[in-house]
């Protein structure tokens, strides 16, 4: 509503974003009814609602099991493939090392590679 969209436009956009992040069946759920991975997907959906040029993701896979973490990375990769820049921080290098993306490794605040 704040960006001036009609109810029809909002409903369409929310449905589409929730489908893109794998929450199509959880649209009317309350936060306490969602798992940690689902809550993280809601956070991503909220970030995407205005079609941002840049998405900042600080440890988006923290405290998630490896399968769900991989799904979250897939979602962020799809966001990047659609034109947004995704800047993500993580301590979980094994999760991202096989991805075909650019990485910057820091150690004590210094660029290592």
């Amino acid at each position: 509503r704040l960006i001036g969209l009609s109810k029809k436009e909002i409903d369409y956009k929310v449905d589409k974003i929730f489908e893109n992040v794998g929450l199509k069946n959880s649209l009317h759920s309350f936060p306490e009814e969602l798992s940690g991975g689902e809550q993280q997907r809601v956070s991503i959906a909220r970030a995407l609602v205005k079609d941002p040029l840049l998405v900042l993701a600080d440890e988006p896979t923290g405290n998630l099991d490896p399968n769900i973490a991989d799904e979250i990375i897939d979602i962020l990769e799809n966001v990047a493939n659609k034109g947004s820049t995704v800047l993500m921080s993580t301590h979980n290098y094994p999760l991202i090392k096989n991805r075909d993306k650019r990485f910057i490794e820091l150690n004590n605040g210094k660029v290592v590679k």
Side-chain angles (χ1 to χ4, degrees), residues 48-59:
L48 300 179
V49 76
K50 288 178 63 178
D51 300 315
L53 296 175
L54 174 65
V55 175
L56 300 175
D58 183 17
E59 290 286 352

Side-chain angles (χ1 to χ4, degrees), residues 37-80:
E38 290 170 328
Q39 290 178 18
Q40 189 64 353
R41 291 167 195 259
V42 170
S43 296
I44 293 168
R46 291 178 68 193
L48 300 179
V49 76
K50 288 178 63 178
D51 300 315
L53 296 175
L54 174 65
V55 175
L56 300 175
D58 183 17
E59 290 286 352
T61 60
N63 300 320
L64 299 178
D65 73 59
N67 292 332
I68 300 300
D70 199 48
E71 290 175 14
I72 295 297
I73 298 300
D74 288 343
I75 290 168
L76 292 173
E77 196 166 33
N78 287 336
V79 169

Side-chain angles (χ1 to χ4, degrees), residues 11-60:
D11 289 344
Y12 173 77
K13 195 165 192 145
V14 168
D15 285 343
K16 185 175 179 177
I17 288 173
F18 264 60
E19 185 174 342
N20 289 344
V21 299
L23 289 174
K24 187 176 181 180
N25 296 325
S26 301
L27 186 59
H28 300 289
S29 298
F30 289 99
E32 64 272 5
E33 298 172 332
L34 301 174
S35 69
E38 290 170 328
Q39 290 178 18
Q40 189 64 353
R41 291 167 195 259
V42 170
S43 296
I44 293 168
R46 291 178 68 193
L48 300 179
V49 76
K50 288 178 63 178
D51 300 315
L53 296 175
L54 174 65
V55 175
L56 300 175
D58 183 17
E59 290 286 352

Side-chain angles (χ1 to χ4, degrees), residues 60-100:
T61 60
N63 300 320
L64 299 178
D65 73 59
N67 292 332
I68 300 300
D70 199 48
E71 290 175 14
I72 295 297
I73 298 300
D74 288 343
I75 290 168
L76 292 173
E77 196 166 33
N78 287 336
V79 169
N81 290 339
K82 290 180 181 176
S84 294
T85 298
V86 176
L87 181 60
M88 182 184 88
S89 65
T90 186
H91 290 93
N92 191 348
Y93 182 70
L95 179 65
I96 61 169
K97 72 179 179 182
N98 294 325
R99 303 285 176 150
D100 186 25

